[in-house]
Amino acid sequence: MNIGMYSVCMSIKKFLIITFIICLCIPLISHAQIKIIELMYNPEGSDTKREWIEIYNVGNSFVDLNSYYIFENNIYHKLVAQSQSILNPGEYAIIVDSFAEVLADYKDYFGKIFDSTFSLSNTGETISIADNSKQIIDTITYESTMGADDDGASLQMIDGTLQTSKPTFGAVNVLDPIVSDTDDASDVSTSTDTSGGTSSGVSSHIEQEPVVSYSPTPSFKIGVGRKRTVCINTPLEFEIQVSRADVRPRIIWNFGDFETEKGRKVEHVYVYEGTYEVLAEGSFDGHTSISRTEVVAIVPQISVIQSSSTISIANKGKSEVNLGGFILKFKDETKYIIPKNTIIKAGAVVYKDLDFGQVIAELVYPNGVIYERFDTI
């Protein structure tokens, strides 16, 4: 073999070796392992911002859903994780248009959830999920004739077809049709229908427990109340409501700021501004019920001005404030505690007459932290 031929052979050998190494280094990309498995396209009652889509990782590796998309009506709607964007093998996630509205319906859900911008048609449409390169990886088409149309049910992919069932919301799909109060339960079949048929009825909304398979409703439910706004350094009362008078559950609260408390009625103070998820867990006779709500803790934007024997208190913030429990301290060492539930709307001004000779020295939070000192009047 001459030198020229030898050089050509060596060059080809090196090329093949380098190509093999590069192929080993390129990671295998698993497409189409994220599936759309459940749709709540028309919730019972108003569906504004209460629609949701459930997805499932059927693959053997995790998927980072950051920059994935919902593809609807030729528009790509980006997914934004509420906390973690990684979906592990065998894990479910929910895609919503509004965290607040959807989680108000499913307070017991603590799984992964993503925000997006979409509006599911009440008559039917085609919905797809696309990866971060905008490649479509799964598609589902539904019609209102399939059911789950304003009756409390959802459309779920069961045995390869969309069927109506009670919402599972972040758990395995199970055929469990909703039955109205007037229906005879014996008329409802719970067998799996692989022909694409549907079963539906009318019922009030039923919240589902975040479990991996369907289980009976617990013997009691607890509730923690509505979303609230509170000033920092101000005690906020929480009280559990229980669905059954004969049940007295053991309650553990988590206030979302690394603080916990036990008891049916408790009080908590937030010292930092922020939005907190408050969770209460009730346990009784082997059963557990969980409920949660949201608290927004704000720093009030209050302006206090004294003019002669009158002071004005102005709320210069964008939210109403409850000044109940705040303390006005005067230079003669007297004080005045603002009455409970003294609410001042955003932009509003209220006035208070003082005793003769009183001069304001400090405005103090209910827990004793000074909000503002007034050195001169």
Side-chain angles (χ1 to χ4, degrees), residues 54-78:
E54 184 180 41
I55 58 176
Y56 178 65
N57 185 353
V58 301
N60 296 318
S61 59
F62 71 83
V63 177
D64 188 349
L65 294 177
N66 187 37
S67 298
Y68 268 50
Y69 301 88
I70 286 295
F71 183 66
E72 176 197 27
N73 294 327
N74 294 318
I75 299 175
Y76 291 92
H77 305 289
K78 186 176 179 180

Side-chain angles (χ1 to χ4, degrees), residues 49-329:
K49 294 187 176 297
R50 293 175 57 225
E51 302 165 340
W52 49 268
I53 300 167
E54 184 180 41
I55 58 176
Y56 178 65
N57 185 353
V58 301
N60 296 318
S61 59
F62 71 83
V63 177
D64 188 349
L65 294 177
N66 187 37
S67 298
Y68 268 50
Y69 301 88
I70 286 295
F71 183 66
E72 176 197 27
N73 294 327
N74 294 318
I75 299 175
Y76 291 92
H77 305 289
K78 186 176 179 180
L79 302 188
V80 179
Q82 184 188 43
S83 55
Q84 297 182 4
S85 63
I86 299 296
L87 195 64
N88 295 309
E91 193 172 25
Y92 301 84
I94 301 294
I95 304 171
V96 302
D97 183 35
S98 169
F99 293 134
E101 274 75 8
V102 173
L103 290 180
D105 290 338
Y106 301 92
K107 295 184 177 67
D108 294 339
Y109 180 71
F110 302 100
K112 291 176 181 175
I113 189 165
F114 294 80
D115 185 32
S116 189
T117 304
F118 61 89
S119 179
L120 301 179
S121 171
N122 287 349
T123 58
E125 63 175 305
T126 297
I127 296 293
S128 302
I129 187 165
D131 62 18
N132 50 19
S133 63
K134 295 187 177 180
Q135 176 181 344
I136 300 298
I137 57 177
D138 191 41
T139 297
I140 194 169
T141 300
Y142 70 93
E143 298 177 356
S144 60
T145 55
M146 295 177 174
D149 185 10
D150 193 26
D151 61 5
S154 66
L155 285 178
Q156 301 178 30
M157 187 63 69
I158 300 175
D159 291 336
T161 62
L162 282 175
Q163 304 186 49
T164 59
S165 187
K166 292 179 182 178
T168 56
F169 201 81
V172 64
N173 293 344
V174 177
L175 187 60
D176 188 13
I178 286 183
V179 184
S180 70
D181 294 337
T182 58
D183 287 341
D184 184 352
S186 63
D187 293 336
V188 179
S189 171
T190 57
S191 61
T192 301
D193 177 9
T194 60
S195 65
T198 59
S199 300
S200 64
V202 179
S203 174
S204 60
H205 176 72
I206 299 175
E207 292 183 355
Q208 298 296 312
E209 296 298 319
V211 293
V212 296
S213 61
Y214 177 73
S215 61
T217 303
S219 62
F220 70 97
K221 285 282 188 181
I222 63 173
V224 295
R226 59 180 176 81
K227 172 182 175 180
R228 287 183 281 178
T229 300
V230 65
C231 295
I232 63 169
N233 300 314
T234 300
L236 181 61
E237 292 182 352
F238 297 91
E239 184 173 7
I240 282 293
Q241 300 297 319
V242 184
S243 62
R244 287 177 49 177
D246 60 329
V247 172
R248 300 183 64 84
R250 177 176 179 267
I251 304 295
I252 299 178
W253 295 84
N254 188 318
F255 300 108
D257 60 350
F258 305 103
E259 297 291 337
T260 61
E261 185 63 86
K262 297 178 182 179
R264 184 161 178 165
K265 186 175 182 179
V266 297
E267 194 175 82
H268 186 66
V269 175
Y270 291 97
V271 296
Y272 297 106
E273 186 177 20
T275 300
Y276 300 91
E277 291 295 319
V278 178
L279 182 146
E281 179 177 341
S283 302
F284 181 81
D285 194 25
H287 292 283
T288 299
S289 180
I290 296 174
S291 183
R292 72 180 188 182
T293 189
E294 183 179 283
V295 172
V296 178
I298 64 171
V299 176
Q301 305 299 313
I302 298 298
S303 173
V304 180
I305 299 176
Q306 180 168 352
S307 177
S308 185
S309 59
T310 301
I311 61 170
S312 65
I313 303 177
N315 179 7
K316 297 184 177 297
K318 297 181 180 180
S319 304
E320 68 177 29
V321 295
N322 186 346
L323 292 185
F326 275 65
I327 304 167
L328 293 170
K329 290 188 176 182

